[in-house]
Amino acid sequence: MQRVRLAWFALAFAVACGMMQLIPAFQSPDEIVHLLRADMVAHGQPLLQGEEPGARSRTGGWVDTHFFVFSQWMQKIVGPHRDRSLSPAWLMDQATRYDWQDGEIFVNASATGYYAPFIYLPHALGLKLSREFDLSLGHSYQFTRMLVTLLVFGLVFWAWQIARPALLVQALVLMPMALFQIISPTIDGLCFALALLVLSLFLLQWHEGKATRWQSFAFYFSIFLLVTSRTNLLPMVLLPLVLLLRHGSWQRLAASATLLVASAGWTLYGLLHTQDHRVVRAHSTGQIISAYLRDPLEFLHLVGRTIADPFQGQLIASSVVGNLGWADAPIPDFALAAIGGGLLLAALLTVAGTRYERADLGIRATLLVAALGSALLAFFALAVTWNDYPARVVQGLQGRYFIIPAMLLAAALGPVRPRGAPAQSATAQRLFILLYAAFCLGVLATTLHGRYGMGAAVFDF
């Protein structure tokens, strides 16, 4: 059985490496600023700083000059106003002809100021090793992308060993948008994998009341990484708290207290020290937070208006599933509808294959509260940092922010015992997920080929 799982792992990683060749560098949303932040960490700059020594404003850091220029090349082919005379394949080929300069330039990275530097360590390691191996810029990017993706697959494999995810959770991770982010060197793929690991370890500890030392460390540290790199996931700290109530011990109390203090401390630090001047507003972040806390109904109305808005609501829904690239490579409408239908079928199969018992009410309620809280906080985080007050709708929301909350909700609907689904439903679920995965991979490959022209299409829409 272990050999079979390893074979599936190797096959999945090989397919991922093949898919990577269809995507030029820096084509995932915010990927440029994430990799530049990782290069800052690789340079020994874990926190943002000012351009001048002793400057009070912490807005960026120093990165390799050639690496920054490389990112600007690739930015010319993103978005609706891209330079269509430039070939993505040609740009990537040129990148293999340039080396690291080791000269430095100050770059504004205030958009990443809310994120703790630990989530960037895998990316920083890839960039650091690339310098040591004297790789070109293009090869350094490919090496870093493969290294981060390998770590993502390793975390998913570990989570799967502990507890098989519910069918609907698997279907969410296989959506074209999720797959695109997993094989892109941003922090999203790592966050998806960490969320799967947290869910598996939560199920294990809920029922068995214990975990190995490494499992316990991974559980608490993964939650810390999630809540300090995706602020809307703060409700996930509820998971260790309910474990403390169910299986109380001094060790759990100390670990939970450390997690809460560290998470709250970093969140407060990020709010106080991040100065993002990309949006000019009449109110500060603190003022907007206070306004919504004084009138929470106004915030709920804002959420409702955003969801009901024909443009924003449709943008969020479509980008959850597959508006790839910098929201400039949407999957075809029929594929969007088919995957939506597949998710509905996965939900039905999940419910049909789950044995619901009164004893599991507590764990399901915990996951449900964490899911809804994380979804609402996604609206809140953008409302107070990217929008002014008052706002008609929340601008800047992307569907990928809701993938992990959807995973939490799916876990609440599915089997919550590590043994997984009943045997009688396993065959139907395996058949469905194989067909669904094949379709999603085909859609992903064809959409990427049509957008960037860097590989052979699987089939033509």
Side-chain angles (χ1 to χ4, degrees):
M1 180 61 70
Q2 188 70 8
R3 289 183 178 180
V4 173
R5 290 173 176 170
L6 288 173
W8 277 108
F9 176 88
L11 176 62
F13 184 66
V15 171
C17 290
M19 287 288 182
M20 290 177 195
Q21 307 314 307
L22 303 177
I23 312 173
F26 300 104
Q27 296 307 299
S28 176
D30 302 327
E31 181 181 337
I32 290 178
V33 72
H34 284 309
L35 279 184
L36 292 178
R37 176 73 187 279
D39 194 44
M40 296 173 198
V41 175
H43 272 73
Q45 304 168 50
L47 302 177
L48 297 186
Q49 56 187 256
E51 186 169 2
E52 299 296 332
R56 296 183 63 183
S57 60
R58 300 174 182 270
T59 59
W62 298 88
V63 301
D64 183 272
T65 303
H66 279 184
F67 190 58
F68 173 72
V69 171
F70 176 31
S71 72
Q72 300 311 294
W73 288 351
M74 306 311 297
Q75 195 169 23
K76 294 179 179 180
I77 60 171
V78 308
H81 305 295
R82 59 186 179 271
D83 187 345
R84 298 176 185 273
S85 67
L86 291 175
S87 163
W90 180 81
L91 285 174
M92 288 300 294
D93 180 67
Q94 290 299 303
T96 63
R97 305 173 188 272
Y98 286 85
D99 298 321
W100 296 87
Q101 184 187 35
D102 290 328
E104 294 183 341
I105 183 174
F106 186 86
V107 175
N108 188 305
S110 56
T112 69
Y114 299 101
Y115 310 143
F118 308 104
I119 195 71
Y120 293 106
L121 289 177
H123 312 73
L125 175 63
L127 296 175
K128 189 74 173 178
L129 289 176
S130 297
R131 285 191 181 86
E132 296 297 324
F133 296 155
D134 198 25
L135 300 181
S136 69
L137 291 175
H139 291 138
S140 296
Y141 177 87
Q142 298 286 16
F143 174 77
T144 301
R145 177 160 60 178
M146 292 179 67
L147 180 65
V148 174
T149 303
L150 181 62
L151 175 59
V152 169
F153 275 57
L155 291 172
V156 172
F157 183 73
W158 187 15
W160 205 289
Q161 295 282 86
I162 297 168
R164 179 190 294 271
L167 181 68
L168 182 55
V169 175
Q170 299 175 46
L172 289 167
V173 175
L174 287 169
M175 293 186 302
M177 175 56 82
L179 292 175
F180 180 77
Q181 293 301 105
I182 286 172
I183 59 176
S184 299
T186 66
I187 62 176
D188 280 359
L190 275 176
C191 288
F192 298 157
L194 289 169
L196 283 175
L197 182 60
V198 167
L199 284 172
S200 294
L201 290 171
F202 179 60
L203 299 184
L204 174 69
Q205 294 176 88
W206 178 276
H207 291 289
E208 297 189 8
K210 60 181 179 179
T212 67
R213 182 174 300 177
W214 276 110
Q215 287 173 336
S216 295
F217 173 80
F219 178 68
Y220 291 99
F221 188 60
S222 295
I223 294 177
F224 173 75
L225 289 176
L226 286 169
V227 302
T228 56
S229 58
R230 285 288 178 258
T231 307
N232 69 296
L233 299 179
L234 276 170
M236 290 189 70
V237 300
L238 182 63
L239 275 58
L241 293 181
V242 296
L243 286 178
L244 177 62
L245 293 176
R246 182 176 172 86
H247 305 290
S249 69
W250 287 109
Q251 291 86 349
R252 288 190 190 279
L253 177 60
S256 298
T258 302
L259 173 63
L260 288 174
V261 171
S263 300
W266 176 264
T267 301
L268 183 61
Y269 175 88
L271 287 173
L272 293 177
H273 290 85
T274 299
Q275 300 182 30
D276 192 346
H277 301 298
R278 293 174 299 167
V279 179
V280 178
R281 303 184 299 174
H283 301 83
S284 68
T285 296
Q287 291 172 328
I288 300 175
I289 291 175
S290 298
Y292 285 126
L293 290 180
R294 288 195 303 267
D295 189 3
L297 285 180
E298 168 56 26
F299 170 69
L300 293 178
H301 290 152
L302 175 63
V303 172
R305 290 195 301 269
T306 304
I307 295 174
D309 184 78
F311 176 76
Q312 291 295 332
Q314 193 277 335
L315 178 64
I316 293 172
S318 64
S319 60
V320 167
V321 178
N323 197 351
L324 310 177
W326 286 66
D328 58 2
I331 66 174
D333 289 341
F334 97 88
L336 184 65
I339 294 172
L343 291 172
L344 178 59
L345 180 56
L348 294 175
L349 289 173
T350 297
V351 172
T354 300
R355 183 180 296 109
Y356 294 96
E357 302 176 10
R358 183 182 295 273
D360 297 330
L361 183 60
I363 188 173
R364 295 188 190 281
T366 300
L367 292 170
L368 179 61
V369 170
L372 295 179
S374 297
L376 285 174
L377 265 184
F379 286 91
F380 189 80
L382 267 293
V384 302
T385 59
W386 191 251
N387 293 260
D388 208 345
Y389 181 86
R392 188 185 68 83
V393 297
V394 180
Q395 304 280 351
L397 274 172
Q398 299 180 38
R400 58 195 175 93
Y401 300 156
F402 298 95
I403 292 178
I404 292 179
M407 291 165 58
L408 293 169
L409 177 60
L413 294 175
V416 291
R417 298 176 185 272
R419 67 173 181 269
Q424 59 267 26
S425 65
T427 301
Q429 291 193 5
R430 289 196 185 100
L431 178 61
F432 166 81
I433 208 66
L434 285 174
L435 295 175
Y436 175 87
F439 182 78
C440 288
L441 286 170
V443 170
L444 177 66
T446 305
T447 301
L448 293 174
H449 170 71
R451 169 64 179 83
Y452 301 112
M454 293 188 62
V458 178
F459 52 84
D460 195 354
F461 290 116

